[in-house]
């Protein structure tokens, strides 16, 4: 099998896959006759070949996938005009703390936010597949340690946590990055960085209930 044929196999498999495909599965396509390094070179070549098209090949947390480019979103949304899910500011702040301070306990999050965190917020993030318990701290009560998942990276269109905006970067405070091509995804990881930037207790209402019932924010960071 020559290079052109191998790229055609990869391209077909990725276009037909409904989920990101890890390199180990791509090796199975070739009965393990192609190594991981060779496959990564072929993927890079495919990326270049699709560079001028409305669809791009990207590496995310759980593998590689084809997805529409952000600039195509306004057109694709006309086919599916459903509004994306909306999350409260309290939920997004909790997610930002976990993303930038992980692994953290619920107590850590409450110390940073300055208010009690509603259990429903943690459950909502777990049900969404964005966070999970990865262990327990060796302290009184052995509190659970929370971290983000690979599914969280997939939804932000990132391959690793290293690609999150730097907290000390001016761009992280203002930039809106349209990361994915489907409506339920987060559209602003710049806003997530801004929420996670302040390690001091945030200026929220003193009552936990009031904070958790704060006005909803859309995924692009705009207030409803």
């Amino acid at each position: 099998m020559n290079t052109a044929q191998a790229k055609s196999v990869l391209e077909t498999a990725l276009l037909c896959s409904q989920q990101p495909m890890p390199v180990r599965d791509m090796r199975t396509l070739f009965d393990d006759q192609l190594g991981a390094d060779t496959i990564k070179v072929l993927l890079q070549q495919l990326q270049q070949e699709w560079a001028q098209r409305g669809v791009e090949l990207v590496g995310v947390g759980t593998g590689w996938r084809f997805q529409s480019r952000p600039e195509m979103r306004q057109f694709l949304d006309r086919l599916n005009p459903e509004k994306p899910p909306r999350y409260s500011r309290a939920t997004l702040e909790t997610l930002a703390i976990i993303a930038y301070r992980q692994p953290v306990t619920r107590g850590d999050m409450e110390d940073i936010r300055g208010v009690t965190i509603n259990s429903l917020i943690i459950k909502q993030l777990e049900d969404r597949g964005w966070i999970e318990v990865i262990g327990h701290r060796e302290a009184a009560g052995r509190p659970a340690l929370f971290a983000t998942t690979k599914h969280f990276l997939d939804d932000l269109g990132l391959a690793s946590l290293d690609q999150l905006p730097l907290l000390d970067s001016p761009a992280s405070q203002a930039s809106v990055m349209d990361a994915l091509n489907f409506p339920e995804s987060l559209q602003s990881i710049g806003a997530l960085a801004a929420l996670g930037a302040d390690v001091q207790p945030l200026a929220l209402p003193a009552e936990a209930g009031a904070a958790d019932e704060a006005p909803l924010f859309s995924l692009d960071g705009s207030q409803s």
Side-chain angles (χ1 to χ4, degrees), residues 12-224:
T12 302
L14 286 164
L15 286 170
C16 293
S17 178
Q18 296 183 349
Q19 302 293 335
M21 183 179 295
V23 171
R24 65 175 178 274
D25 288 353
M26 298 181 202
R27 294 187 62 183
T28 302
L29 292 169
F30 304 99
D31 199 21
D32 278 337
Q33 294 182 17
L34 293 184
D37 291 341
T38 299
I39 288 177
K40 290 177 181 178
V41 170
L42 295 176
L43 290 170
Q44 291 173 355
Q45 292 177 6
L46 279 174
Q47 279 184 313
Q48 295 174 357
E49 292 173 9
W50 283 76
Q52 303 303 318
R53 304 182 187 180
V55 174
E56 61 183 347
L57 176 61
V58 298
V60 293
T62 58
W64 290 74
R65 71 179 177 206
F66 278 103
Q67 65 183 37
S68 63
R69 295 185 181 278
E71 57 269 25
M72 296 292 107
R73 182 181 180 86
Q74 60 175 313
F75 305 104
L76 297 178
D77 281 350
R78 296 170 186 169
L79 296 175
N80 184 17
E82 296 181 6
K83 293 183 178 181
R86 298 157 70 83
Y87 298 90
S88 69
R89 182 179 178 85
T91 300
L92 292 179
E93 285 176 348
T94 301
L95 176 60
I97 291 169
I98 297 172
Y100 283 95
R101 314 299 178 199
Q102 61 186 302
V104 291
T105 66
R106 181 170 170 174
D108 295 332
M109 301 178 223
E110 292 176 342
D111 288 343
I112 293 173
R113 287 196 64 220
V115 296
T116 300
I117 293 177
N118 192 316
S119 297
L120 292 177
I121 288 179
I122 301 297
K123 185 178 186 304
Q124 182 182 32
L125 293 174
E126 287 180 316
D127 290 346
R128 187 63 178 79
W130 282 340
I131 67 170
E132 64 183 350
V133 175
I134 63 169
H136 294 80
R137 179 171 293 168
E138 294 301 327
R142 301 190 72 245
L145 288 166
F146 292 92
T148 53
T149 64
K150 286 189 175 181
H151 183 64
F152 167 78
L153 294 175
D154 287 354
D155 279 2
L156 264 68
L158 305 177
S160 70
L161 291 170
D162 293 338
Q163 294 179 343
L164 283 171
L166 297 176
L167 292 179
D168 57 357
S169 168
S172 72
Q173 303 298 321
S175 295
V176 175
M177 303 176 67
D178 291 324
L180 295 177
N181 63 339
F182 44 93
E184 68 268 23
S185 68
L186 284 174
Q187 297 178 47
S188 175
I189 57 177
L192 187 68
L195 287 172
D198 192 350
V199 297
Q200 301 301 319
L202 300 171
L204 296 174
E207 297 81 16
D212 295 336
E213 296 173 3
L216 291 177
F217 283 70
S218 66
L219 295 182
D220 62 2
S222 60
Q223 188 173 352
S224 60

